[in-house]
Amino acid sequence: MISTSLAGLSSQPFWLFAAAIALLAALVCASILQLLMKTGLAWRLAVDIPNARSLHNRPVPRVGGWAIVPVVVVATLLAAPTLWLPAAGAAFLAAVSQIDDRRGMTARVRFGAHLLAVAVLIVAHMAQAPWWALVVIGFLMLWLVNLYNFMDGADGLAGGMALFGFAAYAIGAALSAHPSAGLSVVSAAVAGSAVGFLIFNFHPARIFLGDAGSIPLGYLAGALGYWGWSEQVWPIWFPALVFSPFIGDASVTLLRRLLRGEKVWQAHREHYYQRMVQYGLGHLRTATLWYAVMLAGIILAVLALDWPPLLQWCSVVAWVIVLVLIGISIDSHWRRFITARSEQPEV
């Protein structure tokens, strides 16, 4: 168990400890996944069968959550037991989502489980904020849980975003004016687990996250973000800026489908990242470009922690404008791709 009173958490021993936790998490996660693949158990737990809306063309085991979640839960209980509640919520959602991966589950039951996990966290660890603000934050956390699942559709994308996003949490929690060693170490464990998963998920992917991986990761992104804000480790905008590429893509896509009256819970290929893969960039270049965008936003977020509040919010607005321009560029490329494809003569 580590102390949460390390002044500034800027000492070399702490950074070495956090790095060791991340490295150990990566090794254990990769070892579990290697064992699941070698024994063939991965194919019996859950398999993603490609369909018309998939970006892959062969069956792939969906067992990433079977390694990431246990590693994060154990690391939390051993190194930062004060954060047991987010870890317990992630384990609960992993169990529910595994049932969904195996047998399917109605949207109502899935949403009920997500709502329960978020509500318990907020009620048990209530921030000093008006009730309506907590309701809004709870809704945003629910959205983060689900959008992470929506964004798990291209090789290396969701795993890479987990690596960068939770590494940013680890750094931000350590460099904050009100640092949290526990939050930093747990975030480092999630980032390390993502590295172990990426060994098998980077293009061409041999393993997918599955709902048992993506849903808990989305929950942890929201839960740890909320925890850091409630403990005054970082401002409310920090978690949103860190995961802004995911949030922006999923939110715009959802709004478009809602306006067209479509069933938003059904699978589709309309996300920005899916269109990038389809119009010729492929999985590898798409993931690499998204990594670059997320890294740029993370650097801005970490630097802005030391800025005056007004400048912080100005940087958030500026970054939103950048993301809007990126979205416009992708839409433009997509329209040209569709036009060119429609003009091709039939064979």
Side-chain angles (χ1 to χ4, degrees):
M1 177 177 175
I2 62 176
S3 170
T4 57
S5 61
L6 300 175
L9 302 186
S10 58
S11 62
Q12 185 177 5
F14 173 76
W15 287 110
L16 290 175
F17 177 73
I21 289 291
L23 178 60
L24 183 60
L27 292 174
V28 175
C29 182
S31 298
I32 293 173
L33 292 175
Q34 178 64 31
L35 180 63
L36 291 177
M37 293 295 287
K38 189 173 182 179
T39 60
L41 185 59
W43 294 95
R44 294 196 292 271
L45 292 172
V47 178
D48 191 300
I49 305 298
N51 54 46
R53 294 180 174 89
S54 302
L55 294 179
H56 61 290
N57 52 23
R58 58 184 177 82
V60 177
R62 298 188 295 176
V63 294
W66 278 78
I68 293 175
V69 176
V71 168
V72 172
V73 170
V74 172
T76 301
L77 296 179
L78 292 179
T82 55
L83 276 86
W84 68 268
L85 188 55
F92 165 70
L93 290 179
V96 172
S97 300
Q98 176 58 26
I99 298 174
D100 190 29
D101 276 342
R102 287 276 296 183
R103 299 172 182 165
M105 190 177 291
T106 65
R108 183 176 301 177
V109 174
R110 288 198 304 268
F111 181 79
H114 303 167
L115 178 60
L116 178 62
V118 169
V120 168
L121 176 69
I122 293 178
V123 171
H125 191 78
M126 194 167 292
Q128 296 297 316
W131 67 268
W132 58 265
L134 295 178
V135 171
V136 171
I137 289 171
F139 173 79
L140 294 176
M141 289 173 63
L142 278 173
W143 176 226
L144 194 55
V145 170
N146 286 277
L147 75 83
Y148 217 99
N149 187 34
F150 296 158
M151 296 295 288
D152 178 30
D155 295 357
L157 184 60
M161 292 297 185
L163 166 60
F164 287 107
F166 288 98
Y169 276 10
I171 295 170
L175 299 181
S176 168
H178 303 281
S180 169
L183 187 57
S184 184
V185 167
V186 171
S187 300
V190 182
S193 298
V195 173
F197 168 69
L198 277 171
I199 294 173
F200 299 87
N201 183 247
F202 209 67
H203 186 70
R206 289 179 286 160
I207 288 176
F208 289 163
L209 273 175
D211 288 356
S214 61
I215 293 294
L217 279 177
Y219 171 78
L220 285 170
L224 298 183
Y226 168 78
W227 195 283
W229 171 68
S230 66
E231 296 292 327
Q232 299 183 331
V233 176
W234 46 55
I236 191 67
W237 55 261
F238 182 79
L241 188 54
V242 165
F243 285 98
S244 56
F246 258 30
I247 295 171
D249 186 323
S251 299
V252 171
T253 303
L254 174 71
L255 182 60
R256 285 174 170 173
R257 302 193 75 213
L258 280 173
L259 292 175
R260 293 198 298 264
E262 298 176 0
K263 297 178 180 179
V264 296
W265 59 86
Q266 290 184 343
H268 59 87
R269 298 202 297 178
E270 297 180 20
H271 285 288
Y272 283 116
Y273 76 88
Q274 291 172 320
R275 290 181 170 181
M276 291 169 70
V277 172
Q278 292 176 79
Y279 68 58
L281 288 181
H283 288 267
L284 182 59
R285 282 190 292 175
T286 296
T288 302
L289 288 172
W290 276 81
Y291 293 171
V293 171
M294 193 165 189
L295 183 59
I298 285 170
I299 292 173
L300 176 62
V302 172
L303 291 176
L305 285 174
D306 287 332
W307 297 350
L310 179 60
L311 189 55
Q312 289 178 352
W313 284 105
C314 287
S315 67
V316 172
V317 172
W319 184 243
V320 170
I321 293 173
V322 170
L323 292 180
V324 169
L325 293 176
I326 292 174
I328 291 173
S329 175
I330 295 172
D331 283 336
S332 177
H333 279 83
W334 178 252
R335 286 192 295 270
R336 289 200 296 269
F337 169 73
I338 292 298
T339 300
R341 188 171 63 178
S342 64
E343 293 175 350
Q344 290 181 350
E346 296 185 3
V347 179

